[in-house]
Amino acid sequence: MRQAGRYLPEFRETRAAQDFFDTCRSPKLCCELTLQPLRRFPLDAAIIFSDILVVPQALGMEVVMVPGKGPTFPEPLKEVEDLLKLRQKVDVTAELGYVFQAVTLTRHSLEGKVPLIGFSGAPWTLMSYMVEGGGSTTMAKAKSWLYRYPEASHRLLQLLTDVVTDYLVGQVAAGAQALQLFESHAGHLGPEQFQEFALPYIRDIARDVKSKLKAEALPLVPMIIFAKDAHYALRDLAQAGYEVVGVTLQGNLDPCALYAPKEKIGELVKKMLESFGTQRYIANLGHGLYPDMNPEHVGAFVEAVHAHSRHINKHG
């Protein structure tokens, strides 16, 4: 997911001097933080260091990172009228150009060693943060919008879809070689709400990004959809216009497995690869790494994936 993180001492050192979102706005620091995990581990791709909440910021909302609490919106969306405070037309180059600069700088710095992945949050996940005002275990405020204000919810989701589409196209123009869309809060929706308030926008983003890339003569890069805990929607997601579906239990190892001894990590990876094979399959973790994880265990995971893949490819 995010390869850089607090589990790396060099990350903590680079990040110590600056506010989180100031770091996101510094192309030089984003480039450095993106490259740090690759200096340590033989990873097969780099993921640009950024955050999904730069999109609500581009719409004019304030987001601050509160230590011990996480991302917080001092003035979340409470009533339908609050939608009028959002920018209705967003110039992504003006508002998010710092991400594009980070992508270009990182792409040059990688010197073709591995591809660079760009990403964005998906509309429902972004909306849920904007209404909740931060993280939430229930998403009750955001879900109540879907029931109480369905039309306004669709207006907000459409606005987010338009911005996310331009943002992803801009990342490809800047040098991203694959794109990932994170519907991290999919699991908070039941199948019906997912069908109405998440899936149509996920589909539209795939379609619109591809048509804009064609129109601008940019590379048609592979797109990955990651909808956390939306196991009930796998069939629909597989037909939503993406080249790759990232799923939490299928094909991805539980991040907490990295707390196990290194030998055990190797066994779990072997079992996972034997189940999924090595073709058209990306070995990954089900979600992010935790700050207290041992970098050596992350290294053991990466090494095990490479070693067992080579063995399976050689011996069938």
Side-chain angles (χ1 to χ4, degrees):
M1 297 303 150
R2 222 198 233 121
Q3 294 168 334
R6 287 170 292 174
Y7 72 101
L8 293 177
E10 58 269 38
F11 175 92
R12 294 197 297 271
E13 200 178 308
T14 308
R15 277 273 300 105
Q18 241 179 337
D19 166 76
F20 179 81
F21 285 108
D22 285 344
T23 305
C24 289
R25 282 187 278 272
S26 162
K28 200 171 156 207
L29 284 175
C30 287
C31 176
E32 169 58 21
L33 291 167
T34 302
L35 297 175
Q36 283 178 354
L38 290 137
R39 293 190 193 117
R40 242 184 212 266
F41 314 119
L43 296 159
D44 297 308
I47 301 171
I48 194 68
F49 180 83
S50 186
D51 194 270
I52 63 170
L53 298 181
V54 299
V55 171
Q57 288 178 333
L59 285 164
M61 293 190 82
E62 186 189 353
V63 190
V64 290
M65 193 60 79
V66 178
K69 190 182 170 195
T72 304
F73 290 70
E75 292 183 35
L77 303 174
K78 290 197 170 100
E79 300 301 328
V80 173
E81 298 73 59
D82 294 339
L83 293 181
L84 300 172
K85 297 176 189 169
L86 300 175
R87 286 191 186 102
Q88 299 306 304
K89 281 269 176 271
V90 175
D91 176 347
V92 290
T93 308
E95 299 300 330
L96 295 165
Y98 58 88
V99 179
F100 304 153
Q101 289 167 25
V103 167
T104 303
L105 185 61
T106 307
R107 174 79 191 269
H108 285 300
S109 304
L110 284 167
E111 296 175 326
K113 290 189 193 82
V114 293
L116 178 61
I117 302 173
F119 69 89
S120 173
W124 154 248
T125 295
L126 296 174
M127 172 185 166
S128 64
Y129 273 112
M130 291 159 76
V131 174
E132 292 288 340
S136 159
T137 51
T138 61
M139 298 291 156
K141 290 178 192 160
K143 286 178 75 175
S144 83
W145 264 61
L146 305 181
Y147 286 110
R148 285 160 60 213
Y149 315 131
E151 282 175 24
S153 296
H154 280 299
R155 275 208 314 276
L156 174 55
L157 291 163
Q158 187 58 58
L159 175 61
L160 285 163
T161 297
D162 295 343
V163 177
V164 166
T165 298
D166 289 345
Y167 179 45
L168 290 172
V169 170
Q171 289 183 60
V172 176
Q177 292 152 292
L179 297 170
Q180 179 143 316
L181 188 69
F182 284 91
E183 191 69 282
S184 308
H185 295 167
H188 290 280
L189 298 176
E192 282 180 27
Q193 282 191 314
F194 186 82
Q195 289 285 342
E196 186 179 350
F197 295 103
L199 188 63
Y201 301 103
I202 288 170
R203 279 196 188 118
D204 288 354
I205 287 168
R207 183 197 65 212
D208 296 348
V209 166
K210 287 175 183 190
S211 68
K212 286 193 175 194
L213 290 175
K214 265 195 191 126
E216 294 178 30
L218 289 166
L220 282 174
V221 302
M223 294 179 72
I224 306 163
I225 175 65
F226 174 77
K228 187 168 184 272
D229 296 333
H231 45 84
Y232 51 78
L234 277 179
R235 192 179 295 271
D236 288 325
L237 289 167
Q239 294 165 356
Y242 293 77
E243 283 65 44
V244 182
V245 179
V247 192
T248 306
L249 292 171
Q250 285 187 281
N252 287 348
L253 194 68
D254 176 2
C256 291
L258 297 193
Y259 290 121
K262 288 185 194 172
E263 303 71 46
K264 180 69 177 167
I265 294 170
E267 285 169 32
L268 292 167
V269 166
K270 181 171 185 274
K271 198 170 156 192
M272 180 171 85
L273 293 179
E274 283 169 352
S275 304
F276 284 90
T278 60
Q279 306 307 306
R280 297 179 64 82
Y281 165 59
I282 299 168
N284 203 345
L285 296 170
H287 216 259
L289 293 158
Y290 302 117
D292 62 349
M293 284 182 165
N294 184 339
E296 288 184 16
H297 286 223
V298 180
F301 168 73
V302 176
E303 280 166 31
V305 169
H306 286 154
H308 291 301
S309 296
R310 278 195 295 270
H311 182 81
I312 290 169
N313 288 341
K314 198 170 168 187
H315 302 286

